[in-house]
Amino acid sequence: MSAAGGLVKTAGAIVTAPVRLLARLLDAPLSALQRLGGTNGMAAFFLLPNMAIFGVFVLFPLVVNIVYSTTGGTALFLANRNFVGAAQYQRLFSCDSYLDPKSCSEDLFWTAVWNTVAFVSVQVVLMVVVALITALVLNRDLRARSFWRAVFFFPVLLSPVVVGLIWRWILQRQGLANLGLYEMGFAPINWLVERNWAFAASVGVSVWAHVGFYALILLAGLQAIPKDLYEAAEMDGTRPARVFWRITLPLLMPNLLVVLVLVLIRAVQIFDEVYVLTGGGPGTATLYLTQYIYEVGFASALRNPGLASAASILMGLVLIVLTLFQLGIVRRNASKGQS
Amino acid sequence: MSRMSDFILRRRGGSSWDWTDVFTWFWLIGGFILMFGPAIWLVNSSFKTPAGLAEFPPTILPYVTAEMMVEGQDKPLPLYEVTLEDGSTAQLVELRRVGLVAQMVDPAKPDEIVRVNIQDRTPVRSVSFATNNYVQPFLSFDFMRYLGNSVFVTVMATIITLLTNSMAAFALSKYKFRGRGFVMFLIIATLMVPLSVILVPLYSVITAMGLFNSLWGVILPTVATPTGVFMLRQYMLTIPDELIDAARMDKASEWQIYWRIVLPLTAPALAVLAIFSVVWRWNDFLWPLIVLSRRELYTLQIALNTYAGETNVQWHFLLAMTVVTMIPIVLVFVFLQRFITTGIAGSGLK
């Protein structure tokens, strides 16, 4: 702990040294500015850098995105693009049957949509269940709990590219996964070449990479449950299963809901680790929405920024609804006095 | 020793093992293998030669097969330990293999070809770490350049994030001005907008500013994180206003109050944000993938992905470079794990 503190201090010193010099140089001009604008006027100065960056790189693109989605052609800048109204949306939605991507004019979009729906429905359930079990296990009377917590948390910090490459290496035909099957006398499996296995791999790898994060949030929730409730239940001789259903689960429900929505929000946007692991393949088996947007907007030869914009706005709408849910849950909990 | 066994055999209570105890240990040990195993296997594999990597079933330790030059042959041949028909053993090199029969010669007598059933021979091998997997990319693969790009992006983005976010948080927590509520609303509202939703217009903004194919184009869009402003503001609200009023009485300028008083007091929150910023920026993938198309500007993550996507993947180099990419994060994990986990548990931030 103290070693880590020292490290933070040293790193802090290295990082702040040039900034400190800058601060000293700014002293005189800023005092002049303050005399000009008054004490309260300095608020604008403090807000300015962040709001300028925020405005240019988040707010402006957000507004422009809507305009973008109503234009066509391959030109990059808005001034050179022609207005096409809702044509991009019509193209995305022109389908004989939405369930059959082949019948849609933009069939990869619907392939990506249904792949994402399948991914989200399987991954979210698996993630929440595994995170909950892990949190319950870590909440037991364990020695070295922080060590075990770290074990499950480790992959959370790894970069998606590293995660993708590690698992590509293990799941390739001559990899470690097939060694296990070989030792048990089974035939090797082409994990990343067969559609269903590749889908399962994308789900499994994303759970592996993030489950520690959600387990940690749930563990914090479990530890906030008052101990005397359990003591009272024990005095009454309540069976453990009943304790779980009647005490643990209801009191954990706010945290569980937040985790559920967070997992949903992340799962809808899945990209990095799956892109490195499978590249969206085999065929289109693991092509998810963000990769569709990336390929239509940037990577493919037939670039169509307007179409990518329209698709990203549709995804954004889903995410906004989910985030409103999450904020609602957080606020309700806060007003009840639980965090 | 007894403390050790106490630790390992700790149970729910009483003398018998409850099923939950069994399950707990099953989960913990299984988790240990599943969470650390793949990364350890990566490190382990990164020390194998291309021949060692192609082998199935794979070995745990990196082995190399001994080879030997034989008179009359133009390249070194693999050496085998052979059990001969009379039951004796000898070390022979293999010339070629025809079906189940290997044609082998004794290095001392290169003209006498011995035919051996392939079941009767095992390669002579020794453990050897292919450190060249690490050395070679550093020398020839522009690896230092990618590493430098990644470090530059991470350090610059983190400094700017800390500075601008803390300034904004200071304004939002310690001043009363018209529109403060609106600014807070904007910031919270954009928590909902992930980068993947604004990729296309952001790309055109970056291009219009001449930042396409520039590391600044990677850095700038990431630094105004709403999470950072929000977290620092919550922390600064706990700093008493009396402190600031007292400083004003002493004729300190607003900038000095921010720099000398508020910033040092916010150090714990700044440290948490700094750690997260480093991890985020080091791991960034999608946005650099879009902004950087010139090879010499690639960050490590993009270089690795490009390298892995090439038709003839040289796994021995790729694995070694992946390990190097992982090192800073593993260091952060080892030294700062406690801060990170308490930071997450406290704020739900990642």
Side-chain angles (χ1 to χ4, degrees):
Chain A
M1 192 86 177
S2 66
L7 197 85
V8 171
K9 253 178 219 161
T10 324
I14 294 167
V15 170
T16 52
V19 188
R20 185 167 297 162
L21 182 73
L22 185 75
R24 193 151 301 162
L25 290 175
L26 281 173
D27 232 351
L30 285 177
S31 297
L33 189 70
Q34 190 184 332
R35 277 194 295 279
L36 217 74
T39 308
N40 241 358
M42 287 301 283
F45 163 78
F46 284 112
L47 265 182
L48 193 68
N50 198 66
M51 292 318 279
I53 295 173
F54 179 76
V56 173
F57 297 110
V58 181
L59 216 53
F60 177 70
L62 189 62
V63 176
V64 165
N65 207 11
I66 299 166
V67 186
Y68 239 99
S69 70
T70 62
T71 60
T74 52
L76 181 60
F77 294 117
L78 214 49
N80 308 332
R81 297 178 60 78
N82 52 317
F83 180 76
V84 296
Q88 304 286 15
Y89 294 95
Q90 271 165 8
R91 183 168 165 193
L92 288 178
F93 282 104
S94 116
C95 258
D96 289 337
S97 156
Y98 292 119
L99 290 172
D100 176 20
K102 286 273 170 286
S103 76
C104 304
S105 71
E106 196 52 48
D107 68 342
L108 279 185
F109 174 71
W110 286 96
T111 305
V113 167
W114 291 121
N115 282 348
T116 308
V117 169
F119 178 86
V120 169
S121 40
V122 180
Q123 196 247 23
V124 170
V125 174
L126 193 64
M127 182 82 95
V128 173
V129 169
V130 176
L132 180 61
I133 295 175
T134 306
L136 287 170
V137 165
L138 291 177
N139 193 40
R140 301 196 66 195
D141 186 17
L142 292 173
R143 287 272 183 92
R145 187 191 278 148
S146 64
F147 166 76
W148 292 112
R149 197 174 62 179
V151 166
F152 287 91
F153 186 73
F154 167 68
V156 174
L157 294 180
L158 291 182
S159 81
V161 177
V162 169
V163 169
L165 286 176
I166 287 180
W167 284 99
R168 224 175 108 179
W169 174 239
I170 287 173
L171 295 174
Q172 58 148 341
R173 197 180 157 80
Q174 302 201 320
L176 193 60
N178 277 338
L179 174 65
L181 293 179
Y182 174 86
E183 295 288 336
M184 287 185 283
F186 292 104
I189 292 173
N190 279 319
W191 299 100
L192 300 175
V193 180
E194 282 168 34
R195 296 184 67 89
N196 292 338
W197 283 119
F199 174 77
S202 72
V203 172
V205 168
S206 70
V207 171
W208 180 83
H210 301 293
V211 74
F213 174 69
Y214 302 107
L216 210 61
I217 297 182
L218 291 178
L219 180 63
L222 284 174
Q223 294 186 339
I225 299 175
K227 294 279 171 290
D228 43 355
L229 286 177
Y230 291 108
E231 280 158 20
E234 202 174 336
M235 300 271 267
D236 293 345
T238 319
R239 291 214 326 276
R242 204 175 149 79
V243 171
F244 175 74
W245 289 108
R246 289 300 169 87
I247 299 177
T248 310
L249 209 54
L251 287 175
L252 191 62
M253 201 43 88
N255 295 67
L256 210 51
L257 278 176
V258 168
V259 165
L260 180 74
V261 182
L262 278 180
V263 176
L264 263 170
I265 292 172
R266 293 275 186 74
V268 171
Q269 305 172 63
I270 184 76
F271 174 71
D272 304 3
E273 53 266 55
V274 175
Y275 182 70
V276 176
L277 183 71
T278 66
T284 54
T286 55
L287 176 77
Y288 300 122
L289 258 176
T290 303
Q291 192 185 337
Y292 170 81
I293 294 168
Y294 165 68
E295 294 203 335
V296 171
F298 304 95
S300 91
L302 299 163
R303 274 184 41 171
N304 189 340
L307 193 66
S309 244
S312 73
I313 285 177
L314 295 176
M315 188 169 91
L317 289 177
V318 174
L319 293 174
I320 285 174
V321 172
L322 291 174
T323 314
L324 287 177
F325 267 123
Q326 189 214 340
L327 290 178
I329 297 164
V330 171
R331 182 178 294 178
R332 210 182 60 196
N333 297 342
S335 70
K336 275 196 298 192
Q338 304 164 335
S339 65
Chain B
M1 201 56 214
S2 77
R3 281 192 59 187
M4 190 71 188
S5 61
D6 275 356
F7 164 58
I8 291 171
L9 299 174
R10 204 175 164 86
R11 287 182 301 264
R12 189 185 176 85
S15 52
S16 67
W17 275 64
D18 191 76
W19 73 268
T20 54
D21 299 311
V22 179
F23 182 79
T24 296
W25 284 104
F26 162 77
W27 198 263
L28 290 179
I29 291 165
F32 184 81
I33 295 168
L34 202 61
M35 293 290 153
F36 282 143
I40 291 168
W41 182 246
L42 173 82
V43 174
N44 170 59
S45 303
S46 74
F47 285 105
K48 290 181 179 177
T49 57
L53 289 174
E55 211 172 285
F56 191 86
T59 54
I60 302 287
L61 287 169
Y63 284 105
V64 283
T65 305
E67 292 185 324
M68 194 176 254
M69 277 303 287
V70 179
E71 229 176 287
Q73 303 291 333
D74 44 6
K75 59 177 187 201
L77 296 169
L79 190 65
Y80 286 86
E81 181 92 29
V82 179
T83 313
L84 295 170
E85 278 167 21
D86 55 3
S88 66
T89 59
Q91 290 202 340
L92 304 180
V93 298
E94 182 179 273
L95 288 178
R96 64 186 73 82
R97 203 182 123 187
V98 184
L100 291 175
V101 179
Q103 299 184 359
M104 312 189 88
V105 292
D106 190 330
K109 290 175 282 184
D111 300 327
E112 255 175 64
I113 293 178
V114 188
R115 286 167 209 285
V116 181
N117 189 310
I118 56 164
Q119 307 224 312
D120 296 334
R121 46 152 232 197
T122 47
V124 176
R125 309 207 299 178
S126 57
V127 174
S128 151
F129 291 91
T131 45
N132 195 35
N133 292 352
Y134 286 85
V135 178
Q136 202 60 34
F138 271 99
L139 296 178
S140 66
F141 182 66
D142 277 352
F143 191 75
M144 289 309 280
R145 188 190 289 271
Y146 304 140
L147 188 71
N149 289 342
S150 269
V151 169
F152 179 79
V153 167
T154 306
V155 170
M156 279 303 164
T158 300
I159 292 175
I160 300 175
T161 300
L162 291 182
L163 189 68
T164 60
N165 286 8
S166 65
M167 282 169 73
F170 177 56
L172 290 170
S173 62
K174 295 297 169 205
Y175 292 94
K176 290 185 176 56
F177 55 92
R178 266 182 47 195
R180 188 171 76 163
F182 179 68
V183 173
M184 276 312 290
F185 166 77
L186 270 186
I187 289 175
I188 293 175
T190 47
L191 281 169
M192 299 178 205
V193 189
L195 187 78
S196 52
V197 173
I198 55 169
L199 284 179
V200 177
L202 187 56
Y203 173 75
S204 71
V205 166
I206 289 290
T207 311
M209 295 176 81
L211 293 176
F212 179 68
N213 261 330
S214 144
L215 291 177
W216 287 105
V218 174
I219 294 169
L220 287 176
T222 61
V223 297
T225 64
T227 8
V229 177
F230 198 67
M231 194 184 104
L232 294 178
R233 176 179 178 267
Q234 295 305 97
Y235 197 89
M236 284 180 189
L237 284 175
T238 65
I239 298 173
D241 289 341
E242 288 79 12
L243 208 60
I244 290 166
D245 291 335
R248 282 189 187 135
M249 302 281 243
D250 291 342
K251 296 267 188 296
S253 75
E254 297 302 304
W255 174 257
Q256 283 167 339
I257 292 172
Y258 159 75
W259 192 256
R260 302 268 174 84
I261 298 172
V262 173
L263 221 47
L265 287 174
T266 319
L270 286 171
V272 173
L273 183 61
I275 296 166
F276 278 102
S277 174
V278 166
V279 174
W280 288 333
R281 302 291 82 89
W282 183 264
N283 290 345
D284 264 348
F285 179 65
L286 178 57
W287 183 239
L289 184 67
I290 288 169
V291 176
L292 306 173
S293 74
R294 286 209 341 248
R295 234 192 153 88
E296 65 267 28
L297 290 170
Y298 283 176
T299 60
L300 270 179
Q301 314 290 346
I302 306 304
L304 275 184
N305 178 59
T306 313
Y307 204 56
E310 278 163 9
T311 42
N312 195 2
V313 182
Q314 294 184 294
W315 273 107
H316 56 300
F317 290 151
L318 186 61
L319 294 174
M321 288 184 304
T322 310
V323 170
V324 176
T325 311
M326 202 166 78
I327 288 172
I329 295 300
V330 170
L331 290 180
V332 166
F333 174 77
V334 169
F335 288 109
L336 304 176
Q337 182 262 124
R338 277 163 210 263
F339 294 100
I340 296 169
T341 47
T342 46
I344 285 179
S347 65
L349 174 90
K350 191 189 82 173

